[in-house]
Amino acid sequence: MPSMHLSQLRKWLLQSPPVEWGILQLRELLIGALRQGPVPKHVAFVMDGNRRFARSHQIETVEGHNLGFEALAKILEVCYKSGVKVVTIYAFSIENFKRSKYEVDALMAMAKLKLTQLAQHGDLLDRYRASVRVLGQRDLLKPDVLEAIDRAVALTSNNGDAILNVCFPYTSRDEIATAIRDTVIEYSQPTVSPPRPQPQRPFSETHITHSIRSRNLSTATSRLRGHSPSSTGTTSDVDAEDSTSSTPPTAVSSSTTLHPPDSPPLNPENSKPTTRIQKSTESQSKPTYPSPELITPEVLSNHMFTAGTPPLDLLIRTSGVERLSDFMLWQCHENTQIVFLNCLWPEFDLWTFLPVLVEWQWKRRKLEIEEEGVTSVGASASRRKKIK
């Protein structure tokens, strides 16, 4: 009983106007201090733990999701105020359709309501000029949900200072497969403009074909020379046959060298040699396609749902589960910091987020110092070489 009275007294004190004003001032001071150092440009959240929070507090699952949305609104304000440009949230996985119909319908209804609230003028996103982008498979959503999504995207389309990516419904494997499929479709279309000069690659199809042809040609030439009269002093019949032949063996090898398989035949039957004009006409009539060797990781990144956004700097998952759950697998790179927190998502606030940001800033400064050291060592080495 005394502990319950103490908790009530603590809650009353925290809600009193002087204490609220002091906490607000401290909050603004801490966010201002964060802006003085490096700030992650792209932060992603796996909002996990809403159902467990609801079970532990003996409330409805839908109410746990509502509290999770309130926590998201507070964190978005912290992110945009501290200088984060892009926030990506894992709102609904494609695998979540396997849950009960009651929960899926409740999540869809809540998504419609909360997206409309977020996109209203004068609210959070409009205050920080953040636009909404919904990433995922639209074909899996109902028409009324799609209508709410399109309305939220249209209402915030003029905001250009920040971005809120809502992954709904989404999995990273589906995103990668979609990007590869779109890339294949793009590179299967004939090009209208003249083909760009392609880089020389040791394993390109043209290089491999040329190497095989050259190897076969050299093998055939060596065999012909091995059977020539000058190198094989065999019987007199062979010498007589070679002496009566009109074309020496060396002429065969030289003709093969001068006329590769792409050239017109020497003795065509019932055909005329192809002229240069005919060749140019045929080359112009044939469509040209982009080389698949031009497909790079950058090309695939440009076909991802997150195309045009900065690289992912920080990924945070709550609830203590240490896995990515098929989220942002392509966007994670060697400098992405992944943090797993033991708190549930409705409990996630500034005081939990602040140590994560401070740790990220410390690691980023350390990385910058190491890169500067490597650069200075390389510059001094190049200067010593010039002096020598």
Side-chain angles (χ1 to χ4, degrees):
M1 188 66 81
S3 61
M4 186 179 68
H5 287 305
L6 287 175
S7 62
Q8 292 291 337
L9 179 61
R10 187 183 302 110
K11 184 177 180 181
W12 178 80
L13 287 174
L14 292 176
Q15 290 179 349
S16 62
V19 176
E20 282 188 350
W21 181 85
I23 293 175
L24 181 62
Q25 296 300 316
L26 178 61
R27 180 171 171 271
E28 296 296 326
L29 180 64
L30 292 174
I31 294 176
L34 286 174
R35 293 179 63 93
Q36 303 305 314
V39 178
K41 299 299 181 184
H42 189 176
V43 179
F45 295 101
V46 181
M47 304 180 296
D48 193 15
N50 293 333
R51 294 193 297 173
R52 267 177 281 174
F53 182 85
R55 286 196 298 266
S56 62
H57 290 76
Q58 298 180 355
I59 59 177
E60 290 289 334
T61 304
V62 178
E63 184 62 25
H65 289 300
N66 283 325
L67 294 174
F69 176 81
E70 294 179 5
L72 171 64
K74 297 176 182 178
I75 290 301
L76 284 178
E77 187 171 10
V78 173
C79 289
Y80 293 141
K81 189 173 288 188
S82 60
V84 177
K85 296 298 181 183
V86 181
V87 177
T88 303
I89 58 173
Y90 203 1
F92 193 87
S93 171
I94 294 177
E95 301 296 326
N96 288 346
F97 282 109
K98 298 178 181 179
R99 296 182 180 180
S100 65
K101 186 178 183 300
Y102 169 76
E103 185 177 355
V104 171
D105 292 341
L107 287 173
M108 293 296 169
M110 187 180 66
K112 291 192 298 182
L113 176 63
K114 300 305 181 181
L115 280 173
T116 304
Q117 292 178 355
L118 273 177
Q120 285 177 350
H121 290 288
D123 207 347
L124 177 66
L125 298 181
D126 194 60
R127 231 184 307 143
Y128 294 100
R129 293 189 50 79
S131 60
V132 175
R133 297 181 184 177
V134 180
L135 316 179
Q137 286 297 334
R138 295 170 55 93
D139 300 339
L140 301 177
L141 299 175
K142 296 180 179 178
D144 56 340
V145 180
L146 287 175
E147 183 180 354
I149 289 173
D150 293 336
R151 191 185 310 116
V153 172
L155 285 174
T156 60
S157 59
N158 294 327
N159 298 338
D161 293 346
I163 297 174
L164 173 61
N165 291 325
V166 182
C167 297
F168 177 86
Y170 168 94
T171 59
S172 187
R173 288 178 297 173
D174 177 76
E175 179 188 18
I176 295 172
T178 303
I180 294 174
R181 184 166 55 248
D182 294 342
T183 304
V184 170
I185 293 173
E186 178 183 343
Y187 276 71
S188 300
Q189 303 297 325
T191 57
V192 179
S193 59
R196 294 177 294 176
Q198 300 178 5
Q200 295 293 332
R201 297 176 181 267
F203 297 104
S204 65
E205 182 179 357
T206 306
H207 183 80
I208 293 174
T209 304
H210 180 71
S211 300
I212 293 174
R213 287 177 178 174
S214 301
R215 188 176 301 172
N216 293 339
L217 181 61
S218 61
T219 304
T221 304
S222 61
R223 287 178 180 176
L224 289 172
R225 288 177 178 174
H227 289 82
S228 62
S230 60
S231 60
T232 58
T234 56
T235 61
S236 59
D237 295 336
V238 177
D239 294 338
E241 185 179 353
D242 290 337
S243 62
T244 58
S245 61
S246 58
T247 305
T250 54
V252 177
S253 62
S254 61
S255 64
T256 309
T257 306
L258 293 174
H259 300 280
D262 294 338
S263 302
L266 291 175
N267 298 316
E269 296 179 359
N270 299 326
S271 63
K272 296 180 181 180
T274 306
T275 62
R276 293 183 179 178
I277 298 176
Q278 290 175 345
K279 279 188 176 182
S280 61
T281 306
E282 291 177 359
S283 63
Q284 290 177 1
S285 62
K286 290 182 180 179
T288 58
Y289 296 90
S291 173
E293 296 175 2
L294 298 176
I295 299 177
T296 60
E298 290 75 17
V299 173
L300 292 178
S301 296
N302 293 332
H303 289 83
M304 295 288 167
F305 296 152
T306 56
T309 58
L312 182 62
D313 296 318
L314 181 61
L315 190 150
I316 299 174
R317 176 166 187 161
T318 55
S319 79
V321 177
E322 297 184 359
R323 62 173 183 265
L324 295 181
S325 296
D326 208 353
F327 178 61
M328 304 292 282
L329 302 181
W330 180 269
Q331 290 77 8
C332 290
H333 54 89
E334 65 275 9
N335 292 327
T336 301
Q337 183 176 344
I338 302 175
V339 180
F340 300 103
L341 300 175
N342 289 323
C343 69
L344 302 177
W345 177 254
E347 301 169 341
F348 188 66
D349 55 6
L350 171 65
W351 313 109
T352 313
F353 190 30
L354 183 64
V356 176
L357 289 177
V358 172
E359 182 182 3
W360 183 90
Q361 288 184 338
W362 178 78
K363 290 184 177 180
R364 180 49 58 97
R365 289 195 187 98
K366 183 179 179 181
L367 180 63
E368 291 175 354
I369 292 173
E370 291 177 355
E371 291 177 352
E372 290 176 359
V374 171
T375 304
S376 61
V377 169
S380 60
S382 61
R383 283 196 299 268
R384 285 196 297 270
K385 287 182 180 179
K386 289 181 180 180
I387 293 173
K388 291 180 179 179

